[in-house]
C-alpha cells in the first residue's frame, strides 16, 4: 500500500508542474509572453498546496526523511521528463500531465483519508 501512496505522491507533482509551465514564457505551451500577475499568484498557491499535499501523503506512507526525499526526487525527475515531453509533444504532454497529476492528487487525498480513518479508529 505504501508503494501506491508513494507513486500517487510522485504523480501529484504534475499538478503544479503543468500549471507552472503554463504561466512561464515558453514556446511549447504559449506564445512566449509573460503571464498576468493574478495567474502567477494562483500558480504559486497551486504549487504550495501541491507540495503540502505531497509531503503529507509521502511522510504518512514512508516517514519524514523518506517522504520528503520522495517529493524532491519526484519534482526533479518528473519536471525533467515534462520538459522533454513538452519539446517533443506539447499538446499531448499537457493533456497527459494534467490527467496523471489529477490521478496522483486523488490518490494522495484518498491515502490521507485512509490514514485519518485508521487513526480515528485506533483512538480509545
Amino acid at each position: 500500500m505504501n508503494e501506491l501512496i508513494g507513486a500517487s505522491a510522485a504523480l501529484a507533482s504534475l499538478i503544479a508542474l503543468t500549471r507552472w509551465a503554463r504561466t512561464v514564457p515558453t514556446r511549447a505551451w504559449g506564445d512566449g509572453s509573460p503571464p498576468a500577475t493574478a495567474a502567477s499568484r494562483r500558480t504559486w498557491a497551486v504549487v504550495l498546496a501541491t507540495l503540502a499535499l505531497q509531503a503529507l501523503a509521502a511522510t504518512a506512507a514512508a516517514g519524514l526523511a523518506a517522504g520528503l526525499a520522495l517529493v524532491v526526487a519526484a519534482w526533479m525527475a518528473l519536471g525533467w521528463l515534462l520538459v522533454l515531453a513538452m519539446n517533443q509533444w506539447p499538446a499531448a504532454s499537457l493533456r497527459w500531465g494534467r490527467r496523471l497529476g489529477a490521478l496522483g492528487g486523488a490518490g494522495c487525498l484518498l491515502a490521507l483519508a485512509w490514514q485519518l480513518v485508521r487513526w480515528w479508529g485506533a483512538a480509545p
Side-chain angles (χ1 to χ4, degrees):
M1 185 59 127
N2 289 344
E3 292 82 12
L4 290 173
I5 297 171
S8 294
L11 283 177
S13 63
L14 288 173
I15 295 170
L17 287 169
T18 54
R19 184 75 180 246
W20 196 344
R22 292 285 297 169
T23 59
V24 296
T26 178
R27 291 179 292 146
W29 287 349
D31 58 359
S33 61
T37 306
S40 180
R41 282 192 211 124
R42 282 191 304 268
T43 299
W44 275 108
V46 169
V47 167
L48 293 175
T50 302
L51 277 171
L53 177 66
Q54 283 180 282
L56 285 172
T59 56
L64 183 63
L68 294 180
L70 177 107
V71 170
V72 170
W75 273 78
M76 289 184 346
L78 291 177
W80 176 76
L81 288 172
L82 184 64
V83 168
L84 182 65
M86 279 173 51
N87 290 326
Q88 300 295 320
W89 312 282
S93 63
L94 176 63
R95 185 173 49 252
W96 280 100
R98 285 182 177 164
R99 289 175 184 167
L100 290 173
L103 182 68
C108 286
L109 291 174
L110 286 173
L112 289 173
W114 178 67
Q115 290 287 346
L116 183 64
V117 166
R118 282 185 50 202
W119 174 75
W120 198 355

